[in-house]
Each structure stands twice: as C-alpha cells, then as structure tokens.
Amino acid sequence: MDASSLLGLIPGTGARRLPGLKELLASVETYLPSEQVARIREAADFGAAAHLGQKRLSGEPYISHPLAAAQILAELGLDADTIIAAILHDVIEDTKISREQIEESFGKDVAAIVDGVTKLHNIQFKSREEAQAESFRKMLLAMVRDLRVIIVKLADRTHNMRTIDSMSVQKRRKIARETLEIYAPVAERLGLYKIKLELEDLGFRALYPQRSRVIERALKRARGNQKEFLGKIEKTIKADLGRAGIKAEVQSREKHLYSVYRKMRHKKSMLAQVVDVYGLRILVDAPDTCYRTLGVVHAAFRPMPGRFKDYIAIPRSNGYQSLHTTLFGPNGVPLEVQIRTHDMHGVAESGIAAHWKYKAGTPTRGSGDSAQQERARAWVSNLMEMQGSGNPEEFIESVKVDLFPDKVYVFTPKGAILRLPRGATVVDFAYAVHTDVGNRCVAAKVDRRLTSLRTVLRNGQTVQIITAMGASPNPSWVSFVATAKARSAIRQYLKSLQRSEAVELGTQLLNAALAEFQLSVDRLDPQALAQTLKELGLKDKEELLRQIGLGERMAPLVARRLLPDAADGAPRSAPLTVAGTEGLLVTYARCCHPIPDDPIIAFLSTGRGIVIHRDTCANVEDYHKHPDKWQPVVWQQDVSRYFSSEVRVEAMNKVGMLAAISAAIASTGTNIGHATVERRDGDISLITLEVEVKDRKHLARIVRTIRKMPEVLRVARTHPPRRTS
Ligand code: MN
C-alpha cells in the first residue's frame, strides 16, 4: 500500500480540511522550499488516511494530534524529515502501516525516527524513585541513534500535556509526573528550553492543581503591579544604552509557575519573595556588546555582589550562553538581568534542535534563511569547540558517551529497566534479574532473536531469559561475565556442587576440550596423564576432573597438557615455574597484569623470551591459532618480588580525592606506579591506579582499604581484555 492508494480510501479529504494542517503549512512555508512543503502535505494525507476513523479522547479526529505535534516543531524551524516524522509518529503503533511502507514513501530517516518513537512508546515508567527516573532519562537518550527521535517524542508529549484535561484523574497524575521527572529534564539537557518550560508548567498544573492556582494568581497580580514599574526601568536602560551607542532589545521576562514553585521549595522562601523579583532580558547583536551592555547596566543600578555569572565565557553543558546579573532596582527590589546576543537567544530557546534546523544550503532557495543557518552553525561550532570534536555527528555521539560512560540500559520483557556495566552479557542480565534465573538460564532472546548466553548487551535491547528446570550454571561462564554478582553466584553454586556432580561436570567439560584433539577422558595417554597429575600436584584423575568441574581449572588448558608428546606436532613440555626473578627473558603482559596466585600461561615470542598472561586474558585466544607458541607456566611457591597491577576506583568528585586514596594505599605499605583521573558525568571520577603488589592477597587488602572510604562508590581490579568469541 502506498500513499496514493491510501488516499483512495478517503475520497474528498481535502488537505485543507485536516484540523491544524493549514497552520502547519503556513509555518513551514516560511522557511522550507516548496518541494519540502509538498512532502509534508503528502505526509499529512498519508497520516490522515492511516488514522482514518480513529478519534482522540476529546472527540477530535486523531490526525489533529500528530499535526499539532508537528506544528510545535515547525515553530522551532526543524527540517522536513523531523516534521514528517512527527506527523507519522503514531502510525506504526496505532495503524496497520509498517516501517517499510513509511520508508518507501518518505525515506529512511523518517522511517527510523518514527520507529524510534514507537519503541519509546512501549517503554513503561514504573518507579517514582529519583534514581530510576535518572536512569530512565539517561536511557532515553542513550538508546536512540538519532536525537530527533527525542525531539519528536517531546513534541508528542507537549501536545498530550496541552490536552491532558480529557483524561481520567489517575492517568493525568501519572503522565504529569512522568513529564516532570523524565521529559522536562531531558528537554533541558538538550537545551530545548521553550519545550522544557511548557512541559514543566503543564505538568505542574496537572499534578498540583491547587498549588499551581495559588502561584498563578500571585504571578498575575505581580505582573499587574510590576508592569508600570518595569516599563520605567526598561526606558531608563534603553536610554542609557542608546547614549552608549548600543542597539538593544529589552524584554521583561515572564516567570514560570514551576520555576517559582521550585525556587520556593529549594530556597525555602515565601511566595511573595520569589514573585517580587523583576526579570529583564537584553538582546544585542555581538558577544562583546554583551559586556559593554553589562557595564551600562551596572552603572545604572547597583549590582548585587556575588550574583554575576558569565555563561558566555563558560557556556553551560547544553550550550546555553548568557551573562546573568542581579541589580538593586528602585526601592531595593531585586532585578534579575540576562544579557545575550540574538544568536545565543536562539540557542537558549531551541538548543539542540538548532542542529536540525532547515539549512538553506540547497540551491532551491535563496539566502533568506541565512540567519537561521548562521545560528545553527554557531550553535554546533560552539559546542564542538567545547567538546573539541570534529563534526556534528561526532559531537552528538560525544554528548551521549558523556552522559553514559560505562553503563548499558536494557529492558526486561515487561519493560522494567536494568542498568548493567558496559560489557555485561546475557548471563549478567539473568543474574541481575534473580540468582535463580541466572542459575537456571539456558538460552535468551535479545530483541526477540535467539542469542548465545555470552552475547554482550547493548543499550535499549530487550532481553528475555529462557530457563529450564534442573539446568545449572556452566563454570566457563566465569570467564566472560562482567558483574560481580554473576561471578560470585556462579562460584557459589559451583562450590555447593556435590563432589560427584563436580566430577561429572568436569568430565563433560574436559571431553569437550579434548574432542579437538580426537581424545576423550577415557582414552588418555596414561603417561601424559601421570605426568600432568604430577606437575599439578594432584593425587588422581578424579581430583583433576573435580577441579575442572568447580571452575578452578580451565578445561582447554588442562586438555592441552594431556596431549601425548607427539600429538599436534607440538613438543610437549612440563610447565615452567616462574619466580619473577628470571630477568629479561620473562616479562609480564601489560594487557592483563598477572600477579602471583593468578592462573597464568606464557606466550613464546621469538627472540624476546616469554610473556606471561593471565589465562582469562583475551590475548590468550591466540592460543588456539598457534598452540605451539604457548607454554604452560605456574608460579613458584614463594615469589619475592613485586608486580604491577591495576585498580579502578569510582569515587565522588572531590578536591583531594586522589590524594586521599593514595594515602590510603600508602597506609598498606604499597607503592603506586601511576594514577589517572577521568571526570565522568555527574560528580563521579574514575581513577585508575597502578599499584605494586606481592600477590592476590596483597591486592585484596588494598581493595578492601579503598572500599572503606566513604566517597568511594566502587573499586575493583581492572579486568583483563575480554574474549570476543
Ligand atoms: Mn502521540
């Protein structure tokens, strides 16, 4: 079905009859070339046909809603694809139209945005806890490839909030809360200030009708009282600016319901105190004029000490730029003044949306949009300068990475969100749901597709764990899980295994590993077995199998030892004992920092002696490709030197944090090789420390000491690089 055959379903639907279409077309005509306007008109017809017969709760035809959402974005000057996606945003969810059909008629970008909005729609917002709201906001931003998905979603939400009165009281409260906790902060993060303010006021009104009425009345009264007064001040300032040769636009600033309410709560101030503050905004044409304007204003009224902020030199993280100052107005009433350029004002109102504003670089239109183009360019280049990145796409990515450095947000089939560390696998997810689910998981569906248990999860995926009665954890999981919870649960389970079960499991694992060499546990070379047992200090085969079953030894490594001399053409050798004092011929890998007590293996590098790795290190994978290059090694009983190891600490950002941690480490009698500190989003620092330790016990002592510090959120030894297969 294409657009035209759909149109055939509704004879006589003149485009002009669709509620809101006339206004929408009038808006987009002011900045889009005619062929883009034609596409938008076509999308409106397509959407109207798809939603034909559906009504909103208010009784209006359904299409009025997406058209109104599109109108909100047209007012921000967004490109045609975004407008079209807004018009079609409910089509996949609520009609029989598929993503493919949208792609056919309106292109890939539009289809991808609509699909993204549909996915967001299926996410439920459950918990009222701030922590959950916070991860939800981050997740929203993290999971979408194209931030226009969020922009369309915000427009959708804005219109739903405008028409919230037709909903039941209960639904109203839920949606209003969600709007205040999730969507308004997201709009703010993206610099969509106008949308943020509207969402806040509408959300506040719906959630607290009484309180908002009181504040609204007070604001109205104050506005009446202030009008004349503000008029006078405006005149004074304008005249002063004129004498200084500055051309400026002076506006009085409206106060917003929710921000008044928030101020009252935060600063514990009385309503009158918050309301009786005058707000002025002065718009000029160049950044240096802002500073001259500030001088003029400070000469006219005395500035309040400590209230001046220079967001031009140091913009906010969402790109906002302005000078802020507070003056003692006539009668000592505080007067809050914002000074910025017209360009900065554009960014302040529409933030990241400026990035997708229609750019008239195409030959279809003249230079009429150059101001807009200029503004968009200014905004992007501003932010890129802040971020030090090369192009807009990179910038968007960096915003995202900046927001969620080391977490992935995934869903249960019911829509609950789980936050896992980056690199977490399906098994980690299963254990995060519940230990029993982890212990009994046998397979999983990720986004409805069957996947292996070691699959690394990505943002926004929905994970369904398939469990089986009587299933049990596989010791090999320990080598790829990323969370401590999964690892300790697996170990715990394995420990609790009966001896006989462990032997049986070990037999299976070893058989699997031996199969590669056409061998099995029952057909081992007796000499090789006796030799191996002797080397490992084990009394019999059963003991070896039990250790494998309990995850204490890796089956593939044991299998390799059990090969008879001639097998594989590789010369078999007894494990080398390392004491750390061998000198230049034995080195320790920088990728995984092995220390005594770690299970290790050595790589024979021609001409450079051997390099010791931890046997869980990804680089050991090479083992399979070049078995002759690897050599079993064990630690000597008493190693008397120090080895470097790495510890990662997540701690609150505080002055002197690194010094405090260093002091704590020093108190355990440990040297620190070097340390790096990375600032993360929010108030968290990631500190990586290289420490000199004797063995794993020593390292554990350091970790325990750091963990006790109140500002420390997390501390762990750095994982070796993970295996990829
Ligand atoms: Mn909608």
Side-chain angles (χ1 to χ4, degrees):
M1 202 170 9
D2 62 15
S4 52
S5 69
L6 266 169
L7 285 177
L9 294 174
I10 40 162
T13 311
R16 252 152 266 288
R17 290 254 205 74
L18 299 176
L21 181 59
K22 216 172 130 193
E23 295 85 338
L24 176 63
L25 292 177
S27 299
V28 294
E29 267 162 9
T30 62
Y31 69 95
L32 287 178
S34 54
E35 74 270 14
Q36 298 297 342
V37 174
R39 282 179 75 214
I40 290 169
R41 189 192 299 264
E42 195 188 323
D45 287 336
F46 186 102
H51 288 295
L52 188 67
Q54 297 173 353
K55 289 222 178 334
R56 300 207 87 210
L57 284 176
S58 62
E60 281 179 292
Y62 195 86
I63 190 68
S64 63
H65 160 64
L67 286 176
Q71 175 70 35
I72 291 168
L73 300 180
E75 282 160 18
L76 290 174
L78 281 158
D79 67 354
D81 279 350
T82 313
I83 305 285
I84 293 171
I87 296 173
L88 302 177
H89 79 264
D90 280 329
V91 154
I92 295 182
E93 177 74 19
D94 296 340
T95 78
K96 290 203 177 95
I97 306 283
S98 69
R99 177 185 173 155
E100 287 70 31
Q101 286 168 288
I102 294 177
E103 184 168 337
E104 216 172 275
S105 303
F106 300 101
K108 245 198 176 114
D109 276 16
V110 172
I113 299 171
V114 174
D115 193 52
V117 177
T118 309
K119 287 215 177 89
L120 289 188
H121 180 89
N122 292 325
I123 298 166
Q124 290 166 39
F125 171 66
K126 277 190 183 145
S127 164
R128 285 159 56 173
E129 289 166 20
E130 180 56 28
Q132 177 81 351
E134 176 63 25
S135 34
F136 199 99
R137 291 197 287 267
K138 287 185 173 179
M139 187 271 316
L140 268 189
L141 293 168
M143 69 175 290
V144 297
R145 282 239 173 71
D146 188 334
L147 283 172
R148 285 180 293 181
V149 169
I150 301 284
I151 295 175
V152 171
K153 181 71 199 173
L154 290 169
D156 171 41
R157 177 53 60 114
T158 304
H159 183 247
N160 282 335
M161 287 305 298
R162 285 182 189 168
T163 53
I164 200 169
D165 287 345
S166 40
M167 288 189 189
S168 70
V169 174
Q170 221 182 3
K171 233 179 163 186
R172 228 184 280 174
R173 293 183 60 84
K174 176 180 170 278
I175 290 183
R177 174 168 284 128
E178 208 180 81
T179 300
L180 288 177
E181 289 181 7
I182 309 288
Y183 291 100
V186 166
E188 181 173 26
R189 190 74 179 86
L190 298 181
L192 295 158
Y193 202 63
K194 239 171 138 176
I195 290 188
K196 173 218 161 196
L197 285 176
E198 183 170 359
L199 287 176
E200 280 184 350
D201 282 1
L202 291 169
F204 179 50
R205 225 176 250 143
L207 194 58
Y208 300 113
Q210 293 291 12
R211 292 175 224 191
S212 67
R213 228 167 285 145
V214 171
I215 295 176
E216 206 165 10
R217 232 175 283 142
L219 277 179
K220 211 177 258 167
R221 210 179 309 126
R223 219 169 284 148
N225 296 342
Q226 291 172 4
K227 208 171 174 189
E228 199 187 333
F229 209 62
L230 269 175
K232 263 190 217 152
I233 296 173
E234 271 182 54
K235 229 186 222 160
T236 313
I237 290 179
K238 252 192 193 152
D240 286 358
L241 287 173
R243 268 193 292 282
I246 296 171
K247 232 179 81 194
E249 193 181 316
V250 182
Q251 311 170 335
S252 63
R253 278 192 301 128
E254 294 244 318
K255 283 206 181 53
H256 294 269
L257 285 182
Y258 192 59
S259 59
V260 169
Y261 178 64
R262 217 172 11 203
K263 251 183 211 157
M264 285 170 65
R265 299 199 59 170
H266 275 190
K267 301 195 175 154
K268 305 239 180 312
S269 14
M270 316 270 287
L271 179 55
Q273 279 175 311
V274 180
V275 169
D276 288 337
V277 174
Y278 303 101
L280 275 186
R281 183 181 299 126
I282 305 173
L283 302 180
V284 296
D285 44 23
D288 56 322
T289 317
C290 294
Y291 293 99
R292 283 201 289 136
T293 304
L294 181 76
V296 171
V297 166
H298 278 184
F301 299 98
R302 198 156 53 85
M304 240 178 238
R307 295 293 294 272
F308 170 65
K309 291 204 181 75
D310 185 350
Y311 293 117
I312 292 180
I314 306 166
R316 284 187 180 154
S317 62
N318 61 13
Y320 176 87
Q321 286 188 296
S322 203
L323 296 179
H324 287 190
T325 187
T326 305
L327 312 169
F328 291 104
N331 307 332
V333 178
L335 179 62
E336 289 174 356
V337 183
Q338 299 176 345
I339 304 166
R340 55 196 183 220
T341 66
H342 292 278
D343 283 354
M344 290 171 190
H345 186 56
V347 170
E349 303 246 286
S350 62
I352 212 154
H355 176 58
W356 285 284
K357 271 190 201 247
Y358 172 72
K359 289 172 200 149
T362 42
T364 45
R365 225 184 183 207
S367 55
D369 298 304
S370 64
Q372 225 144 27
Q373 197 182 350
E374 201 46 53
R375 202 192 293 165
R377 207 181 292 138
W379 147 258
V380 173
S381 68
N382 246 334
L383 284 170
M384 283 192 311
E385 226 166 80
M386 283 161 50
Q387 306 283 330
S389 73
N391 65 47
E393 281 67 36
E394 243 171 61
F395 160 68
I396 299 298
E397 273 317 301
S398 76
V399 167
K400 288 208 235 166
V401 170
D402 185 41
L403 286 169
F404 349 95
D406 51 2
K407 299 280 181 289
V408 287
Y409 297 86
V410 288
F411 300 100
T412 69
K414 284 185 180 160
I417 302 160
L418 288 185
R419 189 177 75 157
L420 296 168
R422 216 165 257 286
T425 61
V426 168
V427 172
D428 291 294
F429 177 93
Y431 277 104
V433 172
H434 196 278
T435 306
D436 281 347
V437 175
N439 282 340
R440 291 189 295 118
C441 74
V442 289
K445 284 182 178 176
V446 173
D447 287 341
R448 278 184 249 128
R449 287 200 12 222
L450 216 53
T451 26
S452 93
L453 290 176
R454 63 192 311 156
T455 305
V456 173
L457 298 173
R458 290 201 313 266
N459 269 319
Q461 290 181 322
T462 301
V463 186
Q464 183 188 358
I465 299 293
I466 299 163
T467 56
M469 290 293 283
S472 59
N474 185 320
S476 72
W477 293 352
V478 176
S479 69
F480 63 76
V481 293
T483 54
K485 181 172 184 194
R487 192 169 303 117
S488 72
I490 296 164
R491 292 236 160 95
Q492 195 60 41
Y493 176 84
L494 293 173
K495 263 189 205 131
S496 73
L497 277 184
Q498 293 298 313
R499 190 183 168 83
S500 62
E501 285 175 329
V503 170
E504 196 181 308
L505 189 56
T507 307
Q508 283 175 22
L509 289 166
L510 188 55
N511 269 335
L514 284 167
E516 195 184 330
F517 310 105
Q518 284 80 47
L519 276 176
S520 74
V521 173
D522 300 331
R523 294 189 296 114
L524 288 173
D525 179 71
Q527 241 187 320
L529 175 62
Q531 179 71 21
T532 304
L533 292 175
K534 204 178 127 202
E535 286 161 12
L536 299 176
L538 300 171
K539 69 175 192 298
D540 55 17
K541 185 162 93 175
E542 199 183 279
E543 183 67 14
L544 175 65
L545 293 171
R546 193 185 66 90
Q547 288 194 351
I548 295 171
L550 292 178
E552 287 164 14
R553 289 187 190 282
M554 306 287 283
L557 297 182
V558 174
R560 174 111 189 92
R561 286 168 174 262
L562 289 167
L563 301 185
D565 285 0
D568 223 13
R572 185 187 133 73
S573 49
L576 217 78
T577 305
V578 292
T581 48
E582 287 79 7
L584 290 175
L585 278 181
V586 176
T587 50
Y588 297 87
R590 305 279 308 167
C591 51
C592 55
H593 292 289
I595 58 174
D597 306 337
D598 280 333
I600 46 171
I601 186 163
F603 178 73
L604 308 162
S605 111
T606 343
R608 286 200 300 125
I610 65 173
V611 185
I612 311 286
H613 290 264
R614 286 160 77 179
D615 75 357
T616 47
C617 177
N619 297 322
V620 173
E621 239 180 29
D622 194 43
Y623 172 83
H624 298 289
K625 280 180 241 150
H626 308 282
D628 53 323
K629 291 272 188 195
W630 292 91
Q631 160 78 34
V633 276
V634 291
W635 294 101
Q636 184 187 291
Q637 272 301 316
D638 275 304
V639 179
S640 56
R641 60 163 270 194
Y642 287 90
F643 293 83
S644 76
S645 177
E646 246 185 22
V647 176
R648 284 154 73 90
V649 184
E650 262 182 50
M652 302 305 292
N653 248 334
K654 265 196 185 158
V655 180
M657 197 60 222
L658 182 60
I661 291 175
S662 305
I665 294 175
S667 76
T668 64
T670 310
N671 276 328
I672 301 173
H674 82 179
T676 57
V677 182
E678 254 176 274
R679 264 307 250 292
R680 286 287 156 95
D681 185 44
D683 296 308
I684 294 169
S685 297
L686 182 66
I687 300 165
T688 309
L689 298 143
E690 200 175 287
V691 288
E692 306 292 329
V693 298
K694 261 186 99 64
D695 52 23
R696 284 172 74 140
K697 265 192 223 121
H698 182 180
L699 182 62
R701 208 161 62 233
I702 295 170
V703 167
R704 267 199 308 276
T705 309
I706 301 174
R707 188 172 288 144
K708 275 190 214 135
M709 302 177 64
E711 300 86 353
V712 167
L713 306 172
R714 200 165 310 166
V715 50
R717 182 180 185 186
T718 309
H719 288 298
R722 273 178 205 296
R723 292 178 213 193
T724 45
S725 67

